[in-house]
């Protein structure tokens, strides 16, 4: 078997394994972060959840949600409950209107028109306010001179608040 043939066989194996993993993730409703179908058969919005290192009485005093979540309005459903093991508070939010299918969600995500991004940002800000009392901003790069090499870091820093873990 030639070197090129081995490489093609390895690439085909990786693509096949990825396709199988994606199929399994999409076919199991209620699992992982992939959108799935709810009990009604419609695409359901997933809960976006953070654990806040404060008791529920401090996170949502008298049932009043943190300000970033209040800004989302009636279009979202929220849940506040004690975290397992007495480790603070679980703060969760999801869209009331339900989610979109996988393809529509991917397009919305790539175009920056994904409503789930607002949920993630609001949750992150609510966690920061509850734990530190202020909204934190990422550190600026150590150099202020824009170069070709620091552009990726600049982009990652700018979008770091949009993506990743909540």
């Amino acid at each position: 078997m030639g070197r090129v043939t081995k490489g093609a066989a390895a690439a085909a194996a990786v693509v096949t394994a990825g396709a199988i993993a994606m199929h399994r993730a999409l076919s199991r409703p209620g699992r992982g972060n992939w959108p799935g179908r709810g009990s009604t058969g419609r695409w359901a919005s997933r809960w976006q959840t953070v654990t806040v290192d404060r008791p529920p009485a401090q996170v949502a005093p008298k049932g009043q949600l943190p300000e970033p979540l209040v800004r989302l309005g009636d279009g979202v459903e929220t849940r506040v409950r004690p975290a397992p093991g007495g480790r603070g508070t679980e703060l969760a939010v999801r869209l009331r209107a339900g989610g979109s299918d996988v393809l529509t969600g991917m397009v919305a995500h790539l175009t920056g028109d994904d409503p789930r991004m607002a949920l993630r940002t609001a949750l992150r800000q609510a966690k920061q306010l509850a734990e530190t009392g202020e909204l934190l901003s990422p550190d600026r790069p150590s150099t202020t001179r824009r170069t070709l090499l620091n552009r990726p870091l600049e982009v990652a820093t700018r979008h770091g608040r949009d993506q990743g873990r909540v």
Side-chain angles (χ1 to χ4, degrees):
M1 188 180 280
R3 193 174 182 180
V4 174
T5 306
K6 286 181 183 177
V14 168
V15 169
T16 303
I20 290 170
M22 180 176 267
H23 174 72
R24 286 184 179 172
L26 293 175
S27 63
R28 288 188 290 174
R31 299 281 178 141
N33 290 326
W34 291 91
R37 294 185 191 274
S39 60
T40 62
R42 299 185 61 200
W43 291 99
S45 178
R46 298 284 181 208
W47 287 100
Q48 304 284 327
T49 306
V50 294
T51 302
V52 181
D53 190 22
R54 296 286 183 266
Q58 287 183 6
V59 174
K62 299 178 183 176
Q64 182 68 31
L65 293 171
E67 194 274 333
L69 295 178
V70 171
R71 276 188 275 143
L72 296 175
D74 293 335
V76 298
E77 184 177 354
T78 57
R79 186 172 63 194
V80 179
R81 65 182 182 189
R87 297 184 176 159
T89 303
E90 277 189 1
L91 190 57
V93 62
R94 72 176 179 181
L95 296 171
R96 283 187 192 273
S100 54
D101 62 23
V102 175
L103 184 60
T104 306
M106 285 177 151
V107 170
H109 186 77
L110 291 175
T111 60
D113 196 26
D114 191 353
R116 292 173 298 179
M117 300 293 284
L119 299 183
R120 296 174 66 85
T121 301
L123 271 176
R124 184 177 299 114
Q125 290 176 348
K127 177 180 171 78
Q128 289 174 1
L129 282 173
E131 290 181 346
T132 67
E134 63 181 310
L135 293 178
L136 305 174
S137 62
D139 293 337
R140 295 201 172 263
S142 58
T143 178
T144 56
R145 196 178 91 220
R146 298 180 87 190
T147 64
L148 183 62
L149 295 177
N150 71 11
R151 294 282 173 107
L153 176 62
E154 191 178 298
V155 170
T157 303
R158 188 172 53 243
H159 293 287
R161 305 186 107 202
D162 300 337
Q163 300 290 321
R165 295 183 173 206
V166 175

